[in-house]
Coordinates of all heavy atoms in Angstrom, one line a residue:
L4 N 39.3 63.9 95.8 CA 39.4 64.8 96.9 C 40.9 65.2 97.0 O 41.7 64.4 96.9 CB 39.1 64.5 98.2 CG 37.5 63.8 98.3 CD1 37.1 63.6 99.8 CD2 36.5 64.8 97.8
V5 N 41.1 66.5 96.9 CA 42.5 67.0 97.0 C 42.6 67.9 98.2 O 42.1 69.0 98.2 CB 42.9 67.7 95.7 CG1 44.4 68.2 95.7 CG2 42.8 66.7 94.5
E6 N 43.5 67.6 99.1 CA 43.8 68.5 100.2 C 44.9 69.4 99.9 O 45.8 69.1 99.2 CB 44.2 67.6 101.5 CG 43.2 66.7 102.0 CD 43.4 65.2 101.6 OE1 44.2 65.0 100.6 OE2 43.0 64.3 102.3
S7 N 45.0 70.5 100.6 CA 46.0 71.5 100.5 C 46.1 72.4 101.8 O 45.1 72.3 102.5 CB 45.8 72.4 99.3 OG 44.6 73.1 99.4
G8 N 47.2 73.1 101.9 CA 47.3 74.0 103.0 C 48.3 73.5 104.0 O 48.6 74.2 105.1
G9 N 48.8 72.3 104.0 CA 49.7 71.8 105.0 C 51.1 72.3 104.9 O 51.4 73.1 103.8
G10 N 51.9 72.0 105.7 CA 53.3 72.5 105.7 C 53.9 72.4 107.1 O 53.5 71.8 107.9
L11 N 55.1 73.1 107.1 CA 55.9 73.2 108.3 C 55.5 74.6 109.0 O 55.7 75.6 108.3 CB 57.4 73.1 108.0 CG 58.3 73.3 109.2 CD1 58.2 72.3 110.3 CD2 59.7 73.4 108.7
V12 N 55.3 74.4 110.3 CA 54.9 75.7 111.0 C 55.4 75.6 112.4 O 55.5 74.6 112.9 CB 53.3 75.9 111.1 CG1 52.6 74.8 111.7 CG2 52.9 77.2 111.6
Q13 N 55.7 76.8 113.1 CA 56.1 76.7 114.4 C 54.9 76.5 115.3 O 53.8 76.9 115.0 CB 56.9 78.1 114.8 CG 58.4 78.2 114.1 CD 58.9 79.5 114.6 OE1 58.3 80.4 114.7 NE2 60.2 79.3 114.8
A14 N 55.2 76.0 116.5 CA 54.2 76.0 117.5 C 53.6 77.2 117.8 O 54.3 78.2 117.9 CB 54.8 75.3 118.7
G15 N 52.2 77.3 118.1 CA 51.5 78.5 118.4 C 50.9 79.2 117.1 O 50.2 80.1 117.3
R16 N 51.4 78.7 115.9 CA 50.9 79.4 114.7 C 49.7 78.7 114.3 O 49.2 77.7 114.9 CB 52.0 79.5 113.7 CG 53.3 80.1 114.1 CD 53.2 81.6 114.4 NE 52.8 82.4 113.3 CZ 53.9 82.9 112.5 NH1 55.1 82.7 112.8 NH2 53.5 83.7 111.5
S17 N 49.2 79.2 113.1 CA 47.9 78.7 112.6 C 48.1 78.2 111.2 O 49.0 78.6 110.4 CB 46.8 79.7 112.5 OG 46.6 80.1 113.9
L18 N 47.3 77.3 110.8 CA 47.2 76.8 109.4 C 45.7 76.6 109.0 O 45.0 76.3 109.9 CB 47.9 75.4 109.2 CG 49.5 75.5 109.0 CD1 49.9 74.0 109.0 CD2 49.8 76.3 107.8
R19 N 45.5 76.8 107.7 CA 44.1 76.4 107.2 C 44.3 75.4 106.2 O 44.8 75.6 105.1 CB 43.4 77.7 106.8 CG 42.0 77.5 106.3 CD 41.4 78.6 105.6 NE 39.9 78.6 105.5 CZ 39.3 79.2 104.5 NH1 39.9 79.8 103.5 NH2 38.0 79.2 104.4
L20 N 43.6 74.2 106.4 CA 43.5 73.2 105.4 C 42.4 73.3 104.6 O 41.3 73.7 105.0 CB 43.7 71.8 106.1 CG 44.8 71.5 107.0 CD1 44.7 70.1 107.5 CD2 46.1 71.8 106.3
S21 N 42.5 72.9 103.3 CA 41.4 72.9 102.3 C 41.2 71.6 101.7 O 42.3 70.9 101.5 CB 41.4 73.9 101.2 OG 41.6 75.2 101.8
C22 N 40.1 71.1 101.4 CA 39.9 69.8 100.6 C 38.8 70.2 99.6 O 37.6 70.4 100.1 CB 39.5 68.8 101.6 SG 38.9 67.3 100.9
A23 N 39.3 70.0 98.4 CA 38.3 70.3 97.3 C 38.0 69.0 96.5 O 38.8 68.3 96.2 CB 38.8 71.2 96.4
A24 N 36.5 68.9 96.2 CA 36.2 67.7 95.4 C 36.2 68.0 93.9 O 36.1 69.2 93.6 CB 34.9 67.3 95.8
S25 N 36.5 67.1 93.1 CA 36.9 67.3 91.7 C 35.5 67.4 90.9 O 35.5 67.8 89.8 CB 37.7 66.1 91.1 OG 37.0 65.0 91.2
A26 N 34.5 67.0 91.5 CA 33.2 67.0 91.0 C 32.1 67.3 92.0 O 32.3 67.0 93.2 CB 32.8 65.8 90.2
S27 N 30.9 67.7 91.6 CA 29.9 67.9 92.7 C 29.2 66.6 93.0 O 29.3 65.5 92.3 CB 28.9 68.8 92.1 OG 28.2 68.3 90.9
F28 N 28.6 66.6 94.1 CA 27.9 65.4 94.7 C 26.4 65.6 94.5 O 26.0 66.7 94.6 CB 28.1 65.1 96.2 CG 29.5 64.6 96.3 CD1 30.6 65.3 96.4 CD2 29.7 63.2 96.6 CE1 31.9 64.7 96.7 CE2 30.9 62.7 96.9 CZ 32.1 63.3 96.9
F29 N 25.7 64.6 94.3 CA 24.2 64.6 94.3 C 23.7 64.9 95.6 O 22.8 65.8 95.8 CB 23.6 63.3 93.8 CG 22.0 63.3 93.7 CD1 21.5 63.9 92.7 CD2 21.3 62.6 94.8 CE1 20.1 64.0 92.7 CE2 20.0 62.7 94.7 CZ 19.4 63.3 93.7
S30 N 24.4 64.4 96.6 CA 24.0 64.8 98.0 C 25.3 64.3 99.0 O 25.9 63.3 98.7 CB 22.8 64.2 98.6 OG 22.8 62.8 98.6
I31 N 25.4 65.2 99.9 CA 26.5 64.9 100.9 C 25.9 64.7 102.2 O 25.1 65.4 102.8 CB 27.6 66.0 100.9 CG1 28.3 66.1 99.6 CG2 28.5 65.9 102.2 CD1 29.3 67.3 99.6
Y32 N 26.4 63.6 103.0 CA 26.0 63.2 104.4 C 26.8 64.1 105.3 O 26.3 64.8 106.1 CB 25.9 61.7 104.6 CG 25.4 61.4 106.0 CD1 24.2 61.7 106.3 CD2 26.1 60.6 106.8 CE1 23.7 61.4 107.6 CE2 25.7 60.2 108.0 CZ 24.5 60.6 108.4 OH 24.0 60.4 109.7
T33 N 28.1 63.7 105.3 CA 29.1 64.3 106.2 C 30.4 64.7 105.4 O 30.7 63.9 104.5 CB 29.4 63.6 107.5 OG1 29.9 62.3 107.0 CG2 28.2 63.3 108.2
M34 N 31.2 65.6 106.0 CA 32.5 66.0 105.5 C 33.3 65.9 106.8 O 32.9 66.3 107.9 CB 32.5 67.3 104.8 CG 31.5 67.4 103.6 SD 31.4 69.1 103.0 CE 32.8 69.0 101.8
G35 N 34.5 65.4 106.7 CA 35.3 65.4 107.9 C 36.8 65.4 107.7 O 37.3 65.3 106.6
W36 N 37.5 65.6 108.7 CA 39.0 65.7 108.8 C 39.5 64.6 109.8 O 38.9 64.5 110.9 CB 39.5 67.1 109.1 CG 39.3 68.2 108.1 CD1 38.4 69.0 107.9 CD2 40.3 68.2 107.0 NE1 38.7 69.8 106.7 CE2 39.8 69.3 106.2 CE3 41.4 67.7 106.6 CZ2 40.4 69.7 105.0 CZ3 42.1 68.1 105.4 CH2 41.5 69.2 104.7
Y37 N 40.5 63.9 109.3 CA 41.1 63.0 110.1 C 42.7 63.3 110.2 O 43.2 64.0 109.3 CB 41.1 61.5 109.5 CG 39.7 61.0 109.6 CD1 38.6 61.5 108.8 CD2 39.3 59.9 110.3 CE1 37.3 61.0 108.8 CE2 38.0 59.5 110.4 CZ 37.0 60.0 109.5 OH 35.7 59.5 109.6
R38 N 43.3 62.7 111.1 CA 44.8 62.9 111.2 C 45.4 61.5 111.7 O 45.0 60.7 112.4 CB 45.2 63.8 112.4 CG 46.6 64.1 112.7 CD 46.8 65.1 113.7 NE 46.4 64.7 115.0 CZ 45.9 65.7 115.9 NH1 46.0 66.9 115.7 NH2 45.5 65.4 117.1
Q39 N 46.6 61.3 111.0 CA 47.4 60.1 111.4 C 48.7 60.6 111.8 O 49.6 61.1 111.0 CB 47.5 59.1 110.2 CG 48.2 57.9 110.5 CD 47.8 56.8 109.6 OE1 47.4 56.9 108.4 NE2 48.0 55.6 110.0
A40 N 49.0 60.5 113.0 CA 50.3 60.8 113.6 C 51.3 59.7 113.4 O 50.8 58.6 113.3 CB 50.2 61.2 115.1
P41 N 52.5 60.0 113.4 CA 53.5 59.0 113.2 C 53.5 57.8 114.1 O 53.4 58.1 115.4 CB 54.9 59.7 113.4 CG 54.6 61.1 113.0 CD 53.2 61.3 113.5
G42 N 53.4 56.6 113.7 CA 53.2 55.5 114.5 C 51.8 55.3 115.2 O 51.7 54.4 116.0
K43 N 50.9 56.0 114.7 CA 49.5 55.9 115.3 C 48.5 55.7 114.4 O 48.7 55.9 113.1 CB 49.2 57.2 116.2 CG 50.2 57.5 117.4 CD 49.7 58.7 118.2 CE 50.5 58.9 119.4 NZ 50.0 60.1 120.2
Q44 N 47.3 55.2 114.9 CA 46.2 55.1 114.0 C 45.5 56.4 113.5 O 45.7 57.3 114.3 CB 45.1 54.1 114.6 CG 45.6 52.7 114.8 CD 44.4 51.9 115.3 OE1 43.5 52.3 115.9 NE2 44.5 50.6 115.0
R45 N 44.9 56.4 112.4 CA 44.2 57.5 112.0 C 42.9 57.8 112.9 O 42.3 56.9 113.2 CB 43.6 57.3 110.5 CG 43.1 58.5 109.8 CD 42.6 58.1 108.4 NE 43.8 57.7 107.6 CZ 43.7 57.5 106.2 NH1 42.6 57.7 105.6 NH2 44.8 56.9 105.6
E46 N 42.8 59.1 113.2 CA 41.9 59.5 114.3 C 41.0 60.6 113.6 O 41.4 61.4 112.8 CB 42.5 60.0 115.5 CG 43.3 61.2 115.4 CD 43.7 61.8 116.6 OE1 43.0 61.9 117.7 OE2 44.9 62.5 116.7
L47 N 39.7 60.7 114.1 CA 38.7 61.5 113.5 C 38.8 62.7 114.4 O 38.9 62.7 115.5 CB 37.5 61.0 113.7 CG 36.2 62.0 113.4 CD1 36.1 62.4 112.0 CD2 34.9 61.3 113.8
L48 N 39.0 63.9 113.6 CA 39.2 65.2 114.3 C 37.8 66.0 114.4 O 37.6 66.6 115.4 CB 40.2 66.0 113.7 CG 41.7 65.5 113.6 CD1 42.6 66.4 112.9 CD2 42.2 65.1 114.9
A49 N 37.3 66.1 113.3 CA 36.1 66.9 113.2 C 35.3 66.5 112.0 O 35.7 66.0 111.0 CB 36.5 68.4 113.0
T50 N 33.9 66.7 112.2 CA 32.9 66.5 111.2 C 31.9 67.6 111.0 O 31.7 68.3 112.0 CB 32.2 65.2 111.3 OG1 31.4 65.3 112.6 CG2 33.1 64.0 111.3
I51 N 31.4 67.8 109.9 CA 30.4 68.9 109.7 C 29.2 68.1 108.7 O 29.6 67.4 107.8 CB 30.9 70.0 109.0 CG1 29.9 71.0 108.8 CG2 31.6 69.7 107.7 CD1 30.3 72.5 108.6
T52 N 28.0 68.3 109.1 CA 26.9 67.6 108.3 C 26.4 68.6 107.3 O 26.9 69.8 107.1 CB 25.8 67.3 109.3 OG1 25.1 68.5 109.7 CG2 26.2 66.5 110.6
S53 N 25.4 68.1 106.5 CA 24.8 68.9 105.5 C 24.0 70.1 106.1 O 23.7 70.9 105.4 CB 24.0 68.1 104.7 OG 23.0 67.3 105.3
F54 N 23.8 69.9 107.4 CA 23.0 71.0 108.1 C 23.9 71.9 108.8 O 23.5 72.7 109.6 CB 22.0 70.3 109.1 CG 21.0 69.6 108.5 CD1 20.9 68.2 108.4 CD2 19.9 70.2 107.8 CE1 19.9 67.4 107.7 CE2 18.8 69.4 107.2 CZ 18.9 68.1 107.2
A55 N 25.3 71.7 108.6 CA 26.3 72.5 109.2 C 26.5 72.2 110.7 O 27.1 73.1 111.3 CB 26.1 73.9 109.0
D56 N 25.9 71.1 111.2 CA 26.2 70.7 112.6 C 27.7 70.2 112.6 O 28.1 69.3 111.8 CB 25.2 69.6 112.9 CG 23.8 70.2 113.1 OD1 23.7 71.3 113.5 OD2 22.8 69.3 112.7
T57 N 28.4 70.6 113.7 CA 29.7 70.3 113.8 C 30.0 69.4 115.0 O 29.4 69.5 116.0 CB 30.7 71.5 113.7 OG1 30.4 72.3 114.9 CG2 30.7 72.2 112.4
S58 N 31.1 68.6 115.0 CA 31.4 67.9 116.2 C 33.0 67.7 116.1 O 33.6 67.7 115.0 CB 30.9 66.4 116.3 OG 31.3 65.6 115.2
Y59 N 33.7 67.7 117.2 CA 35.2 67.7 117.3 C 35.6 66.6 118.3 O 34.9 66.4 119.3 CB 35.6 69.1 117.9 CG 35.3 70.1 116.9 CD1 34.1 70.9 116.9 CD2 36.1 70.5 115.8 CE1 33.8 71.9 116.2 CE2 35.9 71.5 114.9 CZ 34.6 72.2 115.1 OH 34.4 73.2 114.2
A60 N 36.8 66.2 118.1 CA 37.5 65.3 119.1 C 37.9 66.2 120.2 O 38.3 67.4 120.0 CB 38.7 64.7 118.3
D61 N 37.9 65.6 121.3 CA 38.4 66.4 122.6 C 39.8 66.9 122.3 O 40.1 68.1 122.9 CB 38.4 65.5 123.8 CG 37.0 65.1 124.2 OD1 36.0 65.9 123.8 OD2 36.8 64.1 125.1
S62 N 40.6 66.3 121.6 CA 41.9 66.8 121.4 C 42.1 68.1 120.6 O 43.2 68.7 120.7 CB 42.8 65.7 120.8 OG 42.3 65.4 119.5
V63 N 41.1 68.5 120.0 CA 41.2 69.6 119.0 C 40.0 70.6 119.4 O 40.2 71.7 118.8 CB 41.2 69.3 117.5 CG1 42.3 68.3 117.2 CG2 39.8 68.6 117.1
K64 N 39.2 70.2 120.2 CA 38.1 71.1 120.6 C 38.6 72.4 121.1 O 39.4 72.4 122.0 CB 37.2 70.5 121.5 CG 35.8 70.9 121.7 CD 34.9 70.2 122.6 CE 34.6 68.8 121.9 NZ 33.7 68.0 123.0
G65 N 38.0 73.5 120.6 CA 38.5 74.9 121.0 C 39.6 75.4 120.2 O 39.8 76.7 120.3
G66 N 40.3 74.6 119.5 CA 41.4 75.0 118.6 C 41.3 75.0 117.2 O 41.9 75.7 116.5
F67 N 40.5 73.9 116.8 CA 40.3 73.7 115.4 C 38.8 74.0 115.1 O 37.9 73.7 115.9 CB 40.5 72.2 115.0 CG 42.0 71.8 115.1 CD1 43.0 72.6 115.5 CD2 42.4 70.5 114.5 CE1 44.3 72.2 115.6 CE2 43.8 70.2 114.6 CZ 44.7 71.0 115.2
T68 N 38.6 74.4 113.8 CA 37.3 74.7 113.3 C 37.0 74.2 112.0 O 37.8 74.5 111.0 CB 37.0 76.3 113.3 OG1 37.2 76.9 114.7 CG2 35.6 76.5 112.9
I69 N 36.0 73.4 111.8 CA 35.7 72.9 110.6 C 34.5 73.7 109.9 O 33.7 74.2 110.5 CB 35.3 71.4 110.6 CG1 35.1 70.8 109.3 CG2 34.1 71.2 111.5 CD1 34.9 69.2 109.3
S70 N 34.6 73.8 108.6 CA 33.6 74.6 107.7 C 33.4 74.1 106.4 O 34.4 73.3 106.1 CB 33.9 76.1 107.8 OG 35.1 76.3 107.2
R71 N 32.5 74.5 105.7 CA 32.3 74.0 104.4 C 31.8 75.0 103.4 O 31.0 75.9 103.8 CB 31.3 72.7 104.3 CG 30.0 73.0 105.0 CD 29.2 71.7 105.2 NE 28.7 71.2 103.8 CZ 28.1 70.1 103.8 NH1 27.9 69.3 104.9 NH2 27.6 69.6 102.7
D72 N 32.1 74.9 102.2 CA 31.5 75.7 101.2 C 30.7 74.8 100.2 O 31.3 74.1 99.5 CB 32.6 76.4 100.4 CG 32.0 77.3 99.3 OD1 31.1 77.1 98.7 OD2 32.6 78.4 99.1
N73 N 29.5 74.8 100.3 CA 28.7 73.8 99.5 C 28.7 74.1 98.0 O 28.6 73.2 97.2 CB 27.2 74.0 99.9 CG 26.9 73.5 101.4 OD1 27.7 72.6 101.8 ND2 26.0 74.0 102.1
V74 N 28.8 75.4 97.6 CA 29.0 75.7 96.1 C 30.2 75.0 95.6 O 30.1 74.6 94.6 CB 28.8 77.2 96.0 CG1 29.1 77.6 94.6 CG2 27.5 77.8 96.5
K75 N 31.3 75.2 96.4 CA 32.5 74.7 95.8 C 32.9 73.3 96.1 O 33.8 72.7 95.7 CB 33.7 75.6 96.3 CG 33.7 77.0 95.9 CD 34.9 77.8 96.6 CE 34.8 79.2 96.1 NZ 35.9 80.0 96.8
T76 N 32.0 72.6 96.9 CA 32.2 71.3 97.5 C 33.6 71.2 98.1 O 34.5 70.4 97.8 CB 32.1 70.2 96.3 OG1 30.9 70.5 95.7 CG2 31.8 68.9 97.0
T77 N 33.8 72.1 99.1 CA 35.1 72.2 99.7 C 34.8 72.2 101.2 O 33.9 72.9 101.7 CB 35.8 73.4 99.3 OG1 36.0 73.4 97.8 CG2 37.2 73.5 99.9
V78 N 35.7 71.5 101.9 CA 35.7 71.6 103.3 C 37.0 72.0 103.8 O 38.1 71.9 103.3 CB 35.4 70.2 103.9 CG1 36.4 69.0 103.6 CG2 35.2 70.2 105.4
Y79 N 37.0 72.9 104.9 CA 38.2 73.5 105.5 C 38.3 73.1 107.0 O 37.5 72.7 107.7 CB 38.0 75.0 105.4 CG 37.6 75.6 104.1 CD1 36.3 75.8 103.8 CD2 38.6 75.9 103.2 CE1 36.0 76.4 102.5 CE2 38.4 76.4 101.9 CZ 37.1 76.6 101.5 OH 36.8 77.1 100.3
L80 N 39.6 73.3 107.4 CA 40.0 73.0 108.7 C 40.8 74.1 109.2 O 42.0 74.1 108.8 CB 40.6 71.7 109.0 CG 40.8 71.4 110.5 CD1 39.4 71.0 111.2 CD2 41.7 70.1 110.7
Q81 N 40.3 74.9 110.0 CA 41.2 76.1 110.4 C 41.7 75.5 111.9 O 41.1 75.2 112.7 CB 40.3 77.3 110.8 CG 41.1 78.6 111.5 CD 42.1 79.1 110.5 OE1 41.8 79.3 109.4 NE2 43.4 79.3 111.1
M82 N 43.1 75.6 111.9 CA 43.9 75.1 113.0 C 44.7 76.2 113.7 O 45.5 76.7 113.0 CB 44.9 74.0 112.6 CG 44.1 72.9 111.8 SD 45.2 71.4 111.4 CE 46.4 72.2 110.3
N83 N 44.2 76.6 114.9 CA 44.9 77.6 115.7 C 45.8 77.1 116.8 O 45.5 76.0 117.3 CB 43.8 78.6 116.1 CG 43.1 79.3 115.1 OD1 43.6 79.4 113.9 ND2 41.8 79.6 115.3
T84 N 46.7 77.9 117.1 CA 47.7 77.5 118.3 C 48.1 76.1 118.2 O 47.8 75.2 119.0 CB 46.9 77.8 119.5 OG1 46.0 78.9 119.6 CG2 47.8 77.8 120.7
L85 N 48.8 75.9 117.1 CA 49.1 74.5 116.7 C 50.3 74.0 117.8 O 51.0 74.9 118.3 CB 49.7 74.3 115.4 CG 48.7 74.3 114.3 CD1 49.1 74.7 112.9 CD2 47.9 72.8 114.3
K86 N 50.3 72.7 118.0 CA 51.2 72.2 118.9 C 52.1 71.0 118.3 O 51.5 70.5 117.2 CB 50.5 71.6 120.1 CG 49.6 72.5 120.9 CD 48.6 71.6 121.8 CE 47.6 72.5 122.5 NZ 46.6 71.8 123.3
P87 N 53.2 70.7 118.8 CA 53.9 69.6 118.2 C 53.1 68.3 118.0 O 53.3 67.6 117.0 CB 55.1 69.6 119.0 CG 55.4 70.8 119.5 CD 54.0 71.3 119.8
E88 N 52.3 68.1 118.9 CA 51.5 66.8 118.8 C 50.5 66.8 117.8 O 49.8 65.9 117.5 CB 50.9 66.5 120.2 CG 50.1 67.6 120.8 CD 50.9 68.4 121.9 OE1 52.2 68.7 121.6 OE2 50.4 68.8 122.8
D89 N 50.3 67.9 117.1 CA 49.3 68.1 116.0 C 50.1 67.6 114.7 O 49.4 67.6 113.7 CB 48.9 69.6 115.9 CG 47.9 69.9 116.9 OD1 47.2 69.1 117.4 OD2 48.0 71.1 117.3
T90 N 51.3 67.2 114.8 CA 52.0 66.8 113.6 C 51.5 65.5 113.1 O 51.1 64.6 113.9 CB 53.5 66.6 113.9 OG1 54.2 67.9 114.2 CG2 54.3 65.9 112.8
G91 N 51.2 65.5 111.7 CA 50.7 64.2 111.2 C 50.2 64.4 109.8 O 50.4 65.6 109.3
V92 N 49.8 63.3 109.2 CA 49.1 63.6 107.8 C 47.6 63.8 108.1 O 47.0 63.0 108.7 CB 49.4 62.4 106.9 CG1 48.7 62.5 105.6 CG2 50.9 62.1 106.8
Y93 N 47.1 64.8 107.4 CA 45.7 65.1 107.6 C 45.0 64.7 106.3 O 45.3 65.0 105.1 CB 45.6 66.6 107.9 CG 45.9 67.0 109.2 CD1 47.3 67.0 109.6 CD2 45.0 67.5 110.2 CE1 47.7 67.4 110.9 CE2 45.3 67.8 111.4 CZ 46.7 67.7 111.8 OH 47.0 68.1 113.1
Y94 N 43.9 64.1 106.5 CA 43.0 63.5 105.4 C 41.6 64.1 105.6 O 41.1 64.3 106.6 CB 43.0 62.0 105.6 CG 44.3 61.2 105.4 CD1 44.9 61.0 106.6 CD2 44.8 60.8 104.2 CE1 46.1 60.3 106.4 CE2 46.0 60.2 104.0 CZ 46.6 59.8 105.2 OH 47.9 59.2 105.0
C95 N 41.1 64.3 104.5 CA 39.5 64.7 104.4 C 38.8 63.5 103.8 O 39.3 62.7 103.1 CB 39.3 65.9 103.7 SG 39.7 65.7 101.8
K96 N 37.6 63.5 104.4 CA 36.6 62.4 103.9 C 35.3 63.0 103.7 O 34.9 63.8 104.4 CB 36.4 61.3 104.9 CG 35.8 60.2 104.4 CD 35.4 59.1 105.6 CE 34.2 59.6 106.4 NZ 33.9 58.5 107.3
I97 N 34.6 62.6 102.6 CA 33.3 62.9 102.3 C 32.5 61.8 102.1 O 32.9 60.9 101.4 CB 33.2 63.9 101.0 CG1 33.9 65.2 101.2 CG2 31.7 64.0 100.6 CD1 33.9 66.2 100.0

Side-chain angles (χ1 to χ4, degrees):
L4 307 184
V5 179
E6 300 100 337
S7 61
L11 174 63
V12 64
Q13 285 186 323
R16 305 297 291 267
S17 299
L18 279 177
R19 187 192 194 207
L20 305 183
S21 300
C22 171
S25 60
S27 60
F28 284 82
F29 180 72
S30 65
I31 292 175
Y32 183 57
T33 60
M34 306 171 89
W36 285 96
Y37 292 70
R38 175 176 68 205
Q39 187 161 18
K43 295 187 178 181
Q44 290 188 330
R45 192 174 299 186
E46 62 172 326
L47 173 62
L48 300 179
T50 61
I51 185 166
T52 71
S53 56
F54 298 102
D56 294 324
T57 59
S58 65
Y59 298 91
D61 288 342
S62 60
V63 303
K64 197 174 294 183
F67 290 12
T68 303
I69 189 171
S70 61
R71 60 190 284 174
D72 183 326
N73 291 330
V74 174
K75 297 179 181 179
T76 314
T77 300
V78 60
Y79 305 96
L80 187 68
Q81 177 67 42
M82 306 185 293
N83 297 329
T84 320
L85 284 161
K86 307 169 187 175
E88 52 262 41
D89 292 318
T90 294
V92 180
Y93 285 69
Y94 299 89
C95 66
K96 186 189 86 173
I97 293 179

